[in-house]
Amino acid sequence: MKVNKEQYQTLKKELDSQKVELVAVSKTKPVADILELYELGQRDFAENYVQELLEKASQLPGDIRWHFIGHLQTNKVKLIVPFVQLIQGVDSLKLLKEIDKQGMAVGKQINCLLQVHIAREETKFGLNEEELDEVMKNLKDFTGVKVTGLMGMASFTENLILVREEFKKLKNLFDKQVQLQTTNHKLQTLSMGMSSDYKIAVEEGSTMVRIGSLLFGNRT
Ligand SMILES: *Cc1c(COP(=O)(O)O)cnc(C)c1O
């Protein structure tokens, strides 16, 4: 399927009017497709495999802001730290510690979102509420990372009531952490919503959506 340029422009306008950031999820799609959206002005793109991200980044303009949205292995952190814009989906203290270490090694503070498990499915990654509290309590020890928000994925289901409940839950956790937050980590980003559920996510307070198939067509 082709890149849907009209869809991009409609979506971009819709999200801009609500001050929601659009991250285009380009996983599995060729660099030519990414360039098509780049030429329309899109700069934030997301990948979920390190190798694929490295290959694409090396072939594409340097002002693209790359987001990592996959499950990141600690031994791969140093490969993306020099250039990554935002690591979404940090799901353990161990991973955060490694990003901190690699961030310090390159003299940067790496922007991260903590991934919270809100879906019913066991297969999805993320921290539970207790683990989130625990990580947040440890944040003051870190100087090579900056936790700028939370990220979550709703259940993969047609039950939109459930999806909405899960987004509400994440928004509540976000608001609670904003209240408690420590000085050097300002939580401002709530990344929730994909092609099938972004409208609900925005209604429930999302500030960043991650959209793939709606823009690039279905993945095979
Ligand atoms: C693939 C993916 C998306 C985008 O999914 P679409 O349904 O294609 O919009 C968003 N977030 C994460 C974490 C993903 O892995």
Side-chain angles (χ1 to χ4, degrees):
M1 224 167 109
K2 294 247 20 107
V3 175
N4 195 334
K5 292 188 182 180
E6 277 99 80
Q7 178 66 258
Y8 172 74
Q9 270 152 342
T10 311
L11 180 64
K12 181 75 178 133
K13 210 181 267 173
E14 178 189 346
L15 294 171
D16 279 353
S17 74
Q18 290 164 294
K19 299 201 162 54
V20 174
E21 290 179 78
L22 171 59
V23 177
V25 178
S26 50
K27 62 189 186 193
T28 79
K29 299 297 176 183
V31 292
D33 288 7
I34 297 174
L35 270 179
E36 282 195 44
L37 285 194
Y38 178 88
E39 277 154 18
L40 296 178
Q42 180 66 22
R43 291 295 179 272
D44 290 272
F45 291 91
E47 292 286 335
N48 65 340
Y49 285 107
V50 169
Q51 203 51 44
E52 191 176 341
L53 170 56
L54 294 174
E55 272 165 34
K56 287 176 176 172
S58 72
Q59 297 171 58
L60 284 159
D63 62 343
I64 287 183
R65 297 185 289 265
W66 290 104
H67 296 239
F68 191 80
I69 56 170
H71 181 64
L72 183 58
Q73 290 167 287
T74 49
N75 62 344
K76 303 252 170 87
V77 170
K78 65 171 173 297
L79 299 172
I80 65 170
V81 148
F83 69 95
V84 76
Q85 167 75 17
L86 179 62
I87 301 178
Q88 302 199 17
V90 175
D91 55 8
S92 71
L93 194 53
K94 179 173 166 239
L95 177 57
L96 198 66
K97 281 181 178 164
E98 179 62 19
I99 300 169
D100 180 54
K101 183 175 142 198
Q102 299 300 337
M104 286 195 290
V106 296
K108 292 213 275 187
Q109 258 198 319
I110 309 303
N111 297 319
C112 294
L113 303 182
L114 300 176
Q115 183 169 358
V116 183
H117 187 276
I118 49 168
R120 290 243 176 118
E121 288 115 85
E122 284 299 316
T123 49
K124 294 211 167 105
F125 291 104
L127 305 162
N128 64 32
E129 205 175 329
E130 253 173 57
E131 292 164 336
L132 175 64
D133 283 339
E134 188 58 31
V135 173
M136 291 300 296
K137 272 186 209 141
N138 279 279
L139 285 188
K140 54 184 178 314
D141 304 333
F142 296 118
T143 52
V145 290
K146 191 151 116 203
V147 173
T148 58
L150 304 182
M151 180 267 220
M153 289 168 91
S155 293
F156 184 68
T157 171
E158 312 246 291
N159 181 352
L160 298 182
I161 295 172
L162 178 63
V163 168
R164 189 180 293 278
E165 274 171 17
E166 291 171 354
F167 286 146
K168 266 195 210 304
K169 180 176 168 196
L170 184 55
K171 169 72 163 129
N172 284 336
L173 291 174
F174 178 76
D175 288 343
K176 184 182 136 198
Q177 295 299 339
V178 167
Q179 299 273 305
L180 297 172
Q181 79 189 278
T182 55
T183 47
N184 55 345
H185 297 264
K186 257 202 174 337
L187 298 195
Q188 51 209 8
T189 302
L190 181 55
S191 174
M192 59 183 197
M194 319 189 353
S195 293
S196 60
D197 56 20
Y198 80 90
K199 281 181 194 281
I200 301 174
V202 169
E203 283 167 11
E204 297 305 331
S206 169
T207 71
M208 178 182 278
V209 295
R210 310 173 309 271
I211 310 281
S213 45
L214 199 59
L215 299 174
F216 292 106
N218 289 329
R219 291 175 296 272
T220 46

